[in-house]
């Protein structure tokens, strides 16, 4: 494994990110796979979110071994003309079907509502991404609306606090 380019308490090593970002199956519901340069831009976007909004995506590791599983967190996203705080999750394909995404989404929801005092959280999901729809539903979210993003039909699932 290559040495991480960036390592902080909140950022994922670029080599770990590339496991997901370069996998066409894991990225099939996103615009495309990412090059290393695009992954570095993603890291800059994440740092900007922390500076501007105090939130971003976090590394998800297996607790006992520290093995990289994927990423999850809260980020500001455009939901068709409105910026809302999104629970996002993206895990390495080798970890699919193990319940990690649902566990992470629930933890992000709890953090967003209890610690950050958000009134509403959303997840933006490609309408064909049935696994992510199930994760959102396990987190208690309901389909709110549909919009187009980069030519793809997307659902906005949401949940309110209270």
């Amino acid at each position: 494994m290559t040495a991480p380019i960036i390592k902080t308490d909140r950022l994922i090593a670029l080599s770990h990110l590339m496991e997901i970002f370069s996998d066409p199956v894991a990225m099939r519901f996103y615009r495309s796979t990412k090059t290393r340069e695009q992954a570095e831009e993603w890291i800059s976007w994440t740092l900007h979110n922390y500076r501007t909004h105090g939130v971003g995506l976090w590394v998800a590791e297996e607790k006992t071994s520290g093995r990289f599983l994927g990423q999850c967190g809260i980020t500001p996203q455009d939901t068709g003309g409105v910026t809302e705080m999104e629970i996002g999750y993206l895990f390495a394909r080798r970890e699919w079907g193990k319940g990690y995404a649902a566990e992470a989404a629930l933890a992000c929801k709890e953090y967003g509502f209890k610690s950050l005092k958000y009134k509403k959280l959303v997840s933006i999901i490609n309408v064909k991404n049935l696994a992510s729809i199930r994760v959102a539903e396990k987190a208690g979210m309901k389909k709110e609306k549909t919009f187009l993003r980069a030519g793809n039909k997307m659902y906005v699932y949401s949940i309110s606090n209270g």
Side-chain angles (χ1 to χ4, degrees):
M1 178 160 65
T2 60
I5 292 176
I6 292 177
K7 184 176 180 181
T8 72
D9 290 340
R10 296 185 176 189
L11 283 184
I12 304 166
L14 184 57
S15 59
H16 288 313
L17 280 173
M18 290 310 297
E19 178 184 354
I20 299 171
F21 288 166
S22 65
D23 182 346
V25 176
M27 297 295 289
R28 73 182 178 272
F29 295 117
Y30 293 82
R31 291 182 182 138
S32 67
T33 57
K34 292 186 186 305
T35 64
R36 289 184 86 75
E37 181 180 274
Q38 290 168 323
E40 289 170 2
E41 291 170 6
W42 179 92
I43 290 171
S44 294
W45 172 77
T46 298
L47 289 170
H48 171 77
N49 283 331
Y50 275 109
R51 284 190 303 272
T52 307
H53 303 283
V55 292
L57 293 168
W58 306 293
V59 67
E61 294 179 340
E62 201 272 329
K63 193 172 188 174
T64 55
S65 70
R67 185 178 81 248
F68 172 79
L69 303 173
Q71 60 182 351
C72 63
I74 301 172
T75 60
Q77 294 287 339
D78 180 346
T79 61
V82 178
T83 299
E84 300 187 80
M85 299 311 284
E86 180 195 31
I87 295 173
Y89 38 86
L90 181 60
F91 284 79
R93 187 165 25 132
R94 63 182 156 73
E95 304 302 339
W96 289 1
K98 298 178 182 177
Y100 292 127
E103 185 176 337
L106 285 164
C108 289
K109 179 181 84 170
E110 181 175 331
Y111 179 70
F113 286 157
K114 290 185 179 177
S115 297
L116 301 175
K117 307 296 184 205
Y118 291 138
K119 299 294 181 207
K120 179 182 175 186
L121 291 163
V122 302
S123 283
I124 303 166
I125 305 168
N126 185 298
V127 298
K128 297 176 185 173
N129 191 340
L130 301 181
S132 281
I133 289 169
R134 283 191 299 275
V135 169
E137 290 172 344
K138 286 179 184 177
M141 295 181 159
K142 304 286 184 209
K143 184 170 40 174
E144 178 182 313
K145 67 180 181 179
T146 305
F147 74 104
L148 286 179
R149 175 188 274 176
N152 293 306
K153 191 174 178 183
M154 309 297 283
Y155 289 141
V156 175
Y157 272 71
S158 68
I159 189 166
S160 295
N161 188 15

